[in-house]
Amino acid sequence: MKITLILLALKIWSELQLTAADPGAGLRTWDRFSKLPYPGDKAFLYDTFPDNFLWAVGTAAYQVEGAWEKDGKGKSIWDTFTRGGNRIVRGDVGSDSYHNIPGDLRALQQLGVSHYRFSLSWPRIFPNGSRSSYNEKGADYYKTLIRGLKEIKVQPVVTLYHWDLPDNLQTRFGGWNNSILVDLFKEYADFCFKTFGADVKYWITIDNPFVVAWHGYGTGVVAPGIKNDSDLPFRVGHNLLKAHAAAWHLYDERYRVSQGGRVSMALASHWIKPSRTRQENRKACQCSLDFVLGWFARPLFVDGDYPPCMKRNLTHRLPSFSETEKAYIRHTADFFALSHGPALSFLINDSLRFGQTEDLDLRMLLYWVNEEYNNPPIFVVESGWFVSGNTKTKDAKHMYYLKRFIMETLKSIRFDKVNVIGYTAWSLLDGFEWYREYGIRRGLYYVDFNTPDLKREPKTSAIFYSKLIEKNGFPQLPENRPAQGVFPCNFAWGVAANSIQVETTPTQFADPSIYIWNISGNGELKKLEGTQVLPLRRARHCADYATIRQQVSEVRRIHVSHFHFSLNWSSIVPTGHASEANDTLLGYYHCFVSELQRANITPVVTLWHHTGKISSLPIPMEANGGWQSTETVRAFAEYARLCFRRLGAHVKLWITLNEPNEEGLGYEVGHQLLRAHALAWRVYDKEFRQVQGGKVSLVLHMDWVEPAFSFNREDVAPANRVLDFRVGWFAEPIFGSGDYPPVMRSWLQQRNPIDLFNYHLPTFSEEDRHLIKGTYDFFALSHFTTSMAYDEVEDKYTFKDKFEVQLISDVTWIMSPRRNSPVVPWGLRKALNWVNSRYKDVPIYVMGNGVQEDTARFKDSLRVYYLYNYINEALKAYTLDRVNLQGYFAYALNDQRDPGFGLYGHVQDEVIVKSSLTHYRNIIDHNGFPEHGSPPQHCPRVTQHCPGCHVLAKRPVVGFLSLVGLGILITLGLTIYYATKRHK
């Protein structure tokens, strides 16, 4: 007896625990995720799912079955709805799954899923909605389908009602507004459990009751299209909950023991984030979720009643449950069936957002459900995205959204400890997409609706999903792990800036005022009014420039060995004639590079930096045709000669042109830029190299372009084409054949048969080819981000007509504040390998690599992450791929000259050292990423330049006598000076 009482007490206590699910606990979600480490928490997770994870794909009857009046099927509300108003598109045929069970089974086998979610059509089984109208042929269709699933070892997940109510029940009773449907649905459920239940372990009673109630009986967007009663959705929702509870209790009482299945209701939700970081905004988000998801989830999983937020806002408009009804409804779900995707996301009214911002974060939604409803097992029964109706088999957008949602599910399991038991990709086939009709496609399999047999063909998303299921997630590959090792001792560590601060008047002795130093008081300097010193007649020294001292000090603090900056051609030679150069400015630049060298920092100097829409040419040249004029090309060579002559003693690395391969410049301008670079290089090679011993090249902008998918050889062609046009355009004439890439020339000839698009590519003369080919000493590139390419139009705004490619980003990548600039570290490694494979063993410098971040963020965690991972990928290219990498330059020095990119920030006149600078310096000090516990790398110390030291080393006697002689002369001079002074 005591044991029985103890067991009873334990049972009551456990039920109380389940009941007390701490409603409102989901409010912690936004606070928790705001404190997770950024951007590390956003990084892709390489891991696998639990061994027993359920991989599924789904469909809905009206979307795919077709045969709308075949074999005794009755009309549904969708058959009527699509024939009303001005609608001409219907789901009468859909994907014709009714006549193609073998085709659907083949598709399921190819995917390798463990479960298939499909819905039964109520009017196909009971044409008028009641058991008295039973249609045997309709039931036989589903028996055949379930039998076929059993043969291929795929478990069915069966939905009783997915929006296609028998039209007779809508016409006769007013549909779900009438409580009589509770009993009719129970009767229909009873037949389905009894007929199919022996082979079904997962049942969904009703799909997405929010859409049924709100959009079917409120906005009128979906069938039955009623929109004249603002309170009607809440009455409909009330009856849907009762109908579900009736079906659940029926299964629990009559079928659970013998069939061993589980029953739930598929609840859809959006995700919402606070528009401001205040508690009231988070409460508004909580209320938004309560109105959409909590409307049905709280009665099922908590207390059988509606959320308090709904009660407060709706008062009498919201029906109420009696205590008996509450007890009957609560806990009538064996798992949480969650639906997420375009069926609801970004489709709710503004009033239901409560002034907050909608988002697509499945991970946060899963965590919220877990917290709000006491850690239920969650089966994601619908998830995915869509592509346009014109897209065929290359559905990259859908594929990458699937990847994102599955990765977020994996993080939810591994990081957040949420009990997610399965994931369902939506959908198996293209079909009729409800109110969007055939305007979008969501299938993993493409259906050609224009062919008689509605041919099915796997899309890229199907291939991706099948591979993912095969691997049970995203197992980590060796190339995804951080590398350990160091760069060579002579590796060039640098920082880059577009320009430097120029001060043509020295500030060291610019103030003629006289001051008194108040030594005994506060130590302040007091200016004597009305008195000035005579002008100082002394030669200027480079140390007199305060701006030079400050900038060199800032560079030196980073511990870099090199500093890359650009000269201003239009300021040095305002008229365009090198003979009329600004000598004062040249003197300043000379001081800057000499002071860098004194600080043991190697200057890397760019002659011309492309600045986008703002011209950086001397004004007379810009007015005379700019770079299209051969006069500009010749003038650039003279300007280069001037700079080499005046600055070359201190500059050992020259860049002629920085990022000239900008698409907007055009091919004619590009042709002239190549000639200008070559002329400048030849000038240095013939006139200065032997004496100065420097090296010259140009910097090409090279963001990586990855194939959006690479399941066959044809998939890589679009990405290669873009790289040829963007990088090969300049690289091939200089580093390769001396001509433009063959792909580039043939493609433009094909695209421009009658010269309508101005795609003309100039031809090199033999003289030009000889002039340009081989004009390099190293390959320098700037790299910031990566994009993906494929040859199908999805978004006309990001489709590149010239290349006939669609450019996209993987939505799992970390996004930076800069538009279309995601953080993709491995793109740098691929870019370096591309150069190395094309131009074997060429020395390579990464002359610019950085990310834009809010200038107010001095703890710039995104840049810290960026630098660490990009440099690590550069190390992999050097150590694993044998790329001849000579140097790496972080971009940029400070926010003043390059806003948002700087390692230094500024608040008014104060210079702020950002976190990224400290981390970058640490990498430099270790020369990479040495293994823990490994002995330190031994590199010979670089000694300061010492004129004459070689004499002491090679001829010690001569050197010693020279020093003695110098000492005697100095002593003699001092003796004469003081003797003369004493005499006077």
Side-chain angles (χ1 to χ4, degrees):
M1 181 68 179
K2 285 184 179 180
I3 293 172
T4 305
L5 288 172
I6 291 169
L7 289 172
L8 181 61
L10 284 171
K11 187 173 188 294
I12 293 170
W13 179 83
S14 64
E15 295 220 352
L16 285 171
Q17 287 295 104
L18 285 171
T19 304
D22 191 13
L27 190 61
R28 295 191 289 259
T29 303
W30 295 277
D31 185 56
R32 176 189 184 270
F33 279 84
S34 69
K35 294 176 180 176
L36 293 177
Y38 174 81
D41 184 65
K42 297 293 184 183
F44 194 83
L45 173 61
Y46 291 98
D47 204 343
T48 54
F49 286 84
D51 291 339
N52 58 348
F53 195 74
L54 312 180
W55 291 107
V57 68
T59 57
Y62 184 75
Q63 292 184 284
V64 300
E65 282 183 4
W68 76 285
E69 54 181 359
K70 185 84 177 283
D71 294 337
K73 176 188 173 291
K75 278 205 304 183
S76 75
I77 54 174
W78 276 94
D79 293 320
T80 302
F81 181 70
T82 54
R83 283 165 171 75
N86 298 320
R87 298 178 191 88
I88 56 174
V89 180
R90 303 172 185 129
D92 294 355
V93 178
S95 314
D96 201 25
S97 285
Y98 187 81
H99 297 110
N100 200 356
I101 288 178
D104 290 355
L105 293 176
R106 273 195 306 274
L108 291 167
Q109 275 188 300
Q110 288 172 357
L111 288 175
V113 293
S114 60
H115 290 69
Y116 175 44
R117 182 189 169 198
F118 63 93
S119 72
L120 307 175
S121 171
W122 191 347
R124 192 177 295 285
I125 297 172
F126 293 169
N128 71 6
S130 67
R131 189 159 193 158
S132 61
S133 62
Y134 169 60
N135 175 25
E136 187 176 0
K137 288 185 178 180
D140 286 345
Y141 165 69
Y142 296 112
K143 289 177 183 177
T144 304
L145 175 58
I146 292 171
R147 189 163 53 248
L149 291 172
K150 195 172 182 178
E151 290 172 1
I152 64 171
K153 295 181 173 56
V154 173
Q155 293 288 324
V157 179
V158 179
T159 304
L160 295 175
Y161 178 70
H162 201 129
W163 308 1
D164 52 346
L165 187 72
D167 188 60
N168 179 61
L169 301 185
Q170 182 63 41
T171 306
R172 187 175 175 188
F173 301 114
W176 286 107
N177 182 38
N178 195 321
S179 60
I180 196 173
L181 260 72
V182 173
D183 292 328
L184 288 169
F185 183 73
K186 181 180 178 181
E187 178 186 62
Y188 164 59
D190 187 30
F191 171 84
C192 295
F193 293 150
K194 182 184 294 184
T195 307
F196 312 115
D199 296 309
V200 179
K201 302 306 175 190
Y202 286 95
W203 289 97
I204 304 294
T205 55
I206 297 167
D207 179 84
N208 205 338
F210 176 87
V211 169
V212 175
W214 190 264
H215 290 305
Y217 293 84
T219 65
V221 170
V222 301
I226 297 170
K227 54 183 176 182
N228 56 2
D229 184 349
S230 60
D231 294 342
L232 182 57
F234 305 112
R235 297 197 298 271
V236 167
H238 206 66
N239 288 329
L240 289 167
L241 280 165
K242 288 181 177 181
H244 160 79
W248 186 90
H249 281 286
L250 172 71
Y251 189 87
D252 192 55
E253 293 163 8
R254 295 188 189 176
Y255 300 102
R256 188 183 300 277
V257 173
S258 60
Q259 296 180 1
R262 294 199 268 182
V263 182
S264 191
M265 184 189 223
L267 305 180
S269 184
H270 62 314
W271 181 247
I272 198 95
K273 61 183 181 182
S275 55
R276 302 180 71 180
T277 56
R278 294 179 177 178
Q279 187 65 9
E280 55 263 35
N281 294 91
R282 291 171 179 170
K283 288 181 178 178
C285 289
Q286 182 82 359
C287 205
S288 175
L289 291 171
D290 276 341
F291 258 81
V292 178
L293 183 56
W295 180 1
F296 299 94
R298 184 180 173 111
L300 300 184
F301 290 92
V302 182
D303 58 6
D305 203 0
Y306 297 116
C309 178
M310 289 188 77
K311 289 182 171 183
R312 285 195 307 271
N313 282 273
L314 297 172
T315 60
H316 64 278
R317 296 175 60 197
L318 189 66
S320 60
F321 291 114
S322 67
E323 290 303 317
T324 304
E325 288 173 330
K326 289 178 187 177
Y328 189 69
I329 290 171
R330 71 169 174 253
H331 303 153
T332 55
D334 302 319
F335 58 96
F336 199 110
L338 181 65
S339 174
H340 175 260
L344 187 58
S345 294
F346 300 103
L347 295 174
I348 63 171
N349 300 40
D350 291 340
S351 61
L352 295 182
R353 294 192 191 100
F354 292 87
Q356 308 311 305
T357 307
E358 201 169 344
D359 198 15
L360 270 179
D361 201 311
L362 177 57
R363 179 185 171 189
M364 290 183 74
L365 177 59
L366 288 167
Y367 186 84
W368 187 88
V369 169
N370 182 74
E371 292 295 292
E372 190 77 7
Y373 304 117
N374 201 31
N375 192 28
I378 303 173
F379 191 170
V380 180
V381 294
E382 177 181 344
S383 179
W385 205 239
F386 63 90
V387 292
S388 72
N390 297 323
T391 303
K392 295 186 178 178
T393 58
K394 296 179 180 179
D395 60 337
K397 178 182 171 184
H398 185 200
M399 181 181 81
Y400 283 110
Y401 270 100
L402 268 179
K403 180 183 176 184
R404 171 183 168 175
F405 296 143
I406 294 169
M407 189 265 289
E408 288 180 355
T409 304
L410 181 59
K411 284 186 176 181
S412 185
I413 295 169
R414 297 302 184 198
F415 292 163
D416 309 328
K417 308 306 178 187
V418 176
N419 185 18
V420 186
I421 62 172
Y423 180 90
T424 307
W426 201 271
S427 76
L428 176 64
L429 307 166
D430 290 334
F432 181 82
E433 290 298 335
W434 309 113
Y435 71 94
R436 289 176 169 125
E437 300 169 345
Y438 295 103
I440 65 170
R441 291 176 181 265
R442 295 190 64 190
L444 299 177
Y445 278 75
Y446 172 74
V447 177
D448 188 345
F449 298 111
N450 296 318
T451 56
D453 59 347
L454 276 70
K455 181 183 175 184
R456 289 139 165 72
E457 190 176 349
K459 302 182 187 179
T460 53
S461 57
I463 301 170
F464 162 77
Y465 194 47
S466 66
K467 296 295 181 186
L468 185 140
I469 293 170
E470 182 183 314
K471 296 178 185 298
N472 199 35
F474 310 98
Q476 191 175 57
L477 300 173
E479 58 262 33
N480 298 326
R481 299 190 184 99
Q484 290 185 309
V486 292
F487 291 94
C489 288
N490 62 346
F491 193 72
W493 289 105
V495 64
N498 282 341
S499 60
I500 59 171
Q501 186 177 348
V502 174
E503 172 195 39
T504 54
T505 303
T507 55
Q508 182 73 18
F509 299 99
D511 188 355
S513 302
I514 297 175
Y515 296 84
I516 295 176
W517 186 11
N518 184 4
I519 301 175
S520 60
N522 56 13
E524 290 184 353
L525 292 173
K526 185 177 180 181
K527 185 176 181 180
L528 285 178
E529 299 295 340
T531 59
Q532 289 188 338
V533 296
L534 294 173
L536 185 66
R537 300 186 183 278
R538 64 184 279 278
R540 290 180 179 180
H541 297 295
C542 291
D544 296 344
Y545 292 96
T547 54
I548 291 180
R549 293 198 307 274
Q550 180 186 345
Q551 290 176 94
V552 172
S553 174
E554 288 178 1
V555 174
R556 193 173 185 179
R557 189 186 295 183
I558 306 171
H559 295 183
V560 293
S561 58
H562 291 64
F563 178 56
H564 176 207
F565 69 96
S566 300
L567 304 177
N568 190 324
W569 182 10
S570 61
S571 298
I572 293 175
V573 189
T575 64
H577 299 292
S579 59
E580 300 171 356
N582 183 335
D583 196 65
T584 303
L585 183 56
L586 271 172
Y588 180 85
Y589 280 129
H590 178 270
C591 279
F592 191 86
V593 295
S594 65
E595 288 299 298
L596 281 173
Q597 197 173 44
R598 274 167 50 86
N600 212 27
I601 298 167
T602 301
V604 182
V605 179
T606 290
L607 296 174
W608 181 76
H609 187 108
H610 177 52
T611 54
K613 295 180 181 178
I614 304 170
S615 174
S616 52
L617 292 176
I619 293 173
M621 291 183 176
E622 187 64 43
N624 195 35
W627 279 114
Q628 290 185 335
S629 169
T630 56
E631 288 298 318
T632 304
V633 174
R634 283 195 289 268
F636 180 75
E638 288 303 314
Y639 159 65
R641 179 179 282 108
L642 171 69
C643 295
F644 295 151
R645 185 173 65 248
R646 294 290 298 271
L647 308 178
H650 302 288
V651 179
K652 302 307 173 190
L653 286 174
W654 288 96
I655 302 298
T656 56
L657 311 171
N658 192 81
E659 299 183 340
N661 55 326
E662 203 274 308
E663 290 177 50
L665 288 174
Y667 300 128
E668 293 288 349
V669 168
H671 203 70
Q672 296 288 55
L673 284 167
L674 281 164
R675 295 182 67 247
H677 157 78
L679 285 173
W681 190 93
R682 299 287 179 191
V683 165
Y684 191 86
D685 192 52
K686 291 176 183 177
E687 301 176 24
F688 299 95
R689 188 185 299 277
Q690 189 172 0
V691 176
Q692 296 179 0
K695 296 178 181 179
V696 184
S697 193
L698 78 171
V699 174
L700 298 181
H701 184 99
M702 189 182 181
D703 286 340
W704 181 244
V705 182
E706 179 78 358
F709 28 78
S710 52
F711 301 125
N712 59 58
R713 291 177 62 185
E714 296 173 1
D715 294 335
V716 303
N720 286 339
R721 185 159 64 244
V722 177
L723 287 169
D724 270 329
F725 269 83
R726 288 182 174 175
V727 185
W729 174 22
F730 273 75
E732 193 60 24
I734 296 171
F735 299 89
S737 64
D739 197 359
Y740 296 116
V743 169
M744 189 178 179
R745 193 173 290 284
S746 63
W747 180 263
L748 289 177
Q749 286 173 350
Q750 173 192 336
R751 294 274 291 144
N752 195 29
I754 51 175
D755 202 25
L756 289 178
F757 298 99
N758 195 29
Y759 289 163
H760 174 66
L761 192 62
T763 303
F764 289 107
S765 65
E766 276 303 313
E767 181 183 356
D768 279 348
R769 191 190 298 264
H770 180 73
L771 172 72
I772 293 167
K773 184 178 179 180
T775 54
Y776 69 91
D777 297 309
F778 53 89
F779 193 112
L781 62 92
S782 59
H783 172 91
F784 297 93
T785 189
T786 292
S787 58
M788 292 190 159
Y790 64 106
D791 56 353
E792 184 139 355
V793 183
E794 174 60 36
D795 181 352
K796 63 182 181 181
Y797 297 107
T798 55
F799 186 79
K800 299 291 183 182
D801 286 309
K802 185 191 295 183
F803 315 137
E804 290 189 0
V805 298
Q806 180 75 61
L807 294 179
I808 62 167
S809 290
D810 182 338
V811 289
T812 65
W813 290 342
I814 296 170
M815 297 298 164
S816 76
R818 196 176 193 186
R819 188 170 175 266
N820 295 328
S821 293
V823 177
V824 193
W826 52 258
L828 176 57
R829 182 182 178 186
K830 293 208 171 191
L832 292 171
N833 273 283
W834 186 92
V835 174
N836 189 58
S837 64
R838 286 286 188 99
Y839 313 112
K840 201 65 180 172
D841 295 327
V842 64
I844 304 174
Y845 288 84
V846 178
M847 279 294 178
N849 179 237
V851 66
Q852 191 172 41
E853 197 165 2
D854 185 352
T855 54
R857 288 180 66 97
F858 301 133
K859 290 185 178 179
D860 50 344
S861 54
L862 178 62
R863 187 172 293 107
V864 170
Y865 176 91
Y866 184 100
L867 290 174
Y868 177 92
N869 286 281
Y870 274 80
I871 296 171
N872 197 267
E873 292 295 324
L875 179 65
K876 292 177 186 177
Y878 171 72
T879 58
L880 302 178
D881 309 329
R882 304 302 180 197
V883 172
N884 187 11
L885 185 61
Q886 299 283 308
Y888 172 91
F889 289 67
Y891 177 80
L893 179 62
N894 60 51
D895 284 338
Q896 278 189 325
R897 316 302 294 178
D898 304 285
F901 284 91
L903 299 175
Y904 287 100
H906 293 266
V907 176
Q908 296 178 345
D909 295 329
E910 184 182 1
V911 177
I912 307 294
V913 175
K914 295 185 184 179
S915 298
S916 56
L917 187 152
T918 307
H919 283 79
Y920 183 42
R921 184 170 59 205
N922 184 58
I923 294 171
I924 294 170
D925 290 345
H926 290 87
N927 204 26
F929 309 90
E931 291 186 41
H932 181 69
S934 62
Q937 186 181 22
H938 294 290
C939 292
R941 293 189 62 172
V942 179
T943 55
Q944 294 280 352
H945 179 64
C946 174
C949 289
H950 65 282
V951 176
L952 289 170
K954 292 184 177 180
R955 297 184 180 180
V957 175
V958 175
F960 174 74
L961 292 175
S962 299
L963 286 173
V964 170
L966 182 63
I968 291 170
L969 286 172
I970 292 170
T971 304
L972 184 61
L974 289 171
T975 303
I976 293 169
Y977 170 77
Y978 281 109
T980 306
K981 186 176 181 182
R982 188 162 52 249
H983 176 72
K984 286 182 179 181

